[in-house]
Amino acid sequence: MTRSPVSQTSPAHLPPVHAWTSRDLWLALAAVMLFWAAAAAVWPLAGAVVPWDSKNHFYPMLRYLGAALANGELPLWNPYHFAGHPSVADPQSLLFTPTMLFFAWLDPSPSMELFDAVVFAHLIPGAVATLLLFRRRGWHPAGAVAAAMVFVLGGSASARLQHTGMIISYGFVPLAWWLLEEALARRSYAFGLAFAVVAAVMTVGRDQVAFLCGLSLIGVAFHAILTAPAPLAYLRARIGVLAVMGVVGGALLAVPSLLTMQFLMTSTRPSFGYGAAIMGSLPPSSFATTLFADVFGSLRWTYDYWGPDWQSMDGNTWTDRAVNYLFAGTLPAVLILWHGIAGGRLAAREIRYPVIVLGAAILYALGRYTPLFAPIFDHFPGVDLYRRPADATFVINIGLALTAGYLVHRYVTEGAPRLSSGAAGLARAARLALRARPSPSWRGSCGCPTATRPKASTCRTPCATA
């Protein structure tokens, strides 16, 4: 039995496709789950827990939520947080996150290790949905597995596990993306309703990752409409499905959003000025970590990190080595430079939108280092609610996952691209540079065993797919 929206053969001017069998899907799913389990096991095997915000803020929030539910109380007001805090209006209280609310009800006093495991489990829906995105496009299962691995462990997905709310938002993005594409392709109200629910769960945390990923999903719909053979007819045929998505999603988000907006009115910083926001811009030198995992000492247990952060840049940035860590694996780096850019495969129409998302996320993350962020900050609604453009590194990792996985698909089905002499020289130089990359020890690249380690120790492995 096979399922693919395209035939196994395609016209000569189009890249080949792969019709998935049931065996392909189950093998890919098994590979991804084994990879996820191995990554998750690093922490308990090392006697470690995810440090920093994860345990200083989010874990106590969950413990209060569990205790209130166990005592038959409504967890609307937390008397232990800042001598009294309206948790019902706090996006980081986890109250409106269904998965964490269920977890708190199920186990009112979980261990820190179990808390970490549950948070890390939020990456499973996105990893599985990545396989489904590749399957519906007819892209090879090997590429799907590579993309899912990057999604689970690349860049911010491992470097910023301490930011629990962002990890939860990030974990549901590919699932929402797949449901949206299915809803539009099938004109299905059932898929549209499912998308609205998943997108609401993704955005209910109201963090910047949810905001940026929500914009990316809106872009998915616009791209589908604009690239249709008859855009107006395509839109008319799906206007009902789109309306259901908007109404249901808006209804699910209305109460928590209104409560937070009311809470903001009593805050000392209901929004951020441009000067404060740009302090969270991603320093351009951070992109060295896309090629070399430990080039700045990002993965070391010691404090001899010398890359861009608030210390090395004399206070000109509020970012740190965890925020600035982008490494998604050696394989994605080689494929994007060699096959994607030098070989021109990222110019293919079928990968165009993920490339657009990747490029837009890079420009946004750079913040003040480009002339684009200032007008965006001043005129685009919602941007001034957040203080760190570098949060777009989560979206960068999604873009890297999809583009790298696509390039694996092209390599498996077609082989290496033919390069011009100039491009071949660049490819050889890139291979030599990557071959000479630093080689940190395995122990220095895994998760930190104590919460006293540097924040970048939340990066658990030196690469996702090398």
Side-chain angles (χ1 to χ4, degrees), residues 235-257:
L235 176 60
R236 281 195 300 268
R238 292 157 179 80
I239 195 68
V241 176
L242 292 169
V244 167
M245 294 177 187
V247 170
V248 173
L252 292 173
L253 293 172
V255 171
S257 298

Side-chain angles (χ1 to χ4, degrees), residues 205-336:
R206 287 150 283 174
D207 51 69
Q208 187 163 207
V209 174
F211 174 72
L212 295 175
C213 291
L215 293 177
S216 299
L217 293 177
I218 293 173
V220 170
F222 273 102
H223 183 262
I225 294 169
L226 295 175
T227 57
L232 290 179
Y234 182 93
L235 176 60
R236 281 195 300 268
R238 292 157 179 80
I239 195 68
V241 176
L242 292 169
V244 167
M245 294 177 187
V247 170
V248 173
L252 292 173
L253 293 172
V255 171
S257 298
L258 289 172
L259 288 169
T260 299
M261 290 170 67
Q262 287 184 313
F263 187 34
L264 282 176
M265 295 303 101
T266 66
S267 171
T268 57
R269 53 178 195 182
S271 62
F272 291 92
Y274 177 74
I278 61 173
M279 294 295 288
S281 301
L282 182 72
S285 55
S286 301
F287 284 94
T289 63
T290 60
L291 299 177
F292 312 107
D294 202 33
V295 62
F296 297 125
S298 301
L299 304 177
R300 297 174 192 169
W301 291 8
T302 57
Y303 286 86
D304 58 349
Y305 170 79
W306 59 277
D309 68 358
W310 57 275
Q311 288 180 309
S312 63
M313 297 182 68
D314 296 325
N316 289 324
T317 180
W318 289 342
T319 61
D320 53 39
R321 58 171 159 180
V323 173
N324 298 335
Y325 186 80
L326 299 172
F327 189 69
T330 301
L331 178 62
V334 170
L335 288 177
I336 289 173

Side-chain angles (χ1 to χ4, degrees), residues 140-212:
H140 200 278
V145 171
M149 288 179 172
V150 173
F151 177 82
V152 168
L153 209 58
S156 292
S158 60
R160 298 181 64 182
L161 276 174
Q162 70 271 24
H163 295 149
T164 301
M166 293 184 179
I167 291 294
I168 293 173
S169 298
Y170 169 83
F172 286 103
V173 177
L175 179 57
W177 191 324
W178 176 73
L179 289 170
L180 176 57
E181 288 191 345
E182 290 289 339
L184 294 176
R186 299 168 181 258
R187 289 183 286 178
S188 168
Y189 285 91
F191 274 96
L193 181 62
F195 164 77
V197 173
V198 172
V201 173
M202 181 195 79
T203 54
V204 74
R206 287 150 283 174
D207 51 69
Q208 187 163 207
V209 174
F211 174 72
L212 295 175

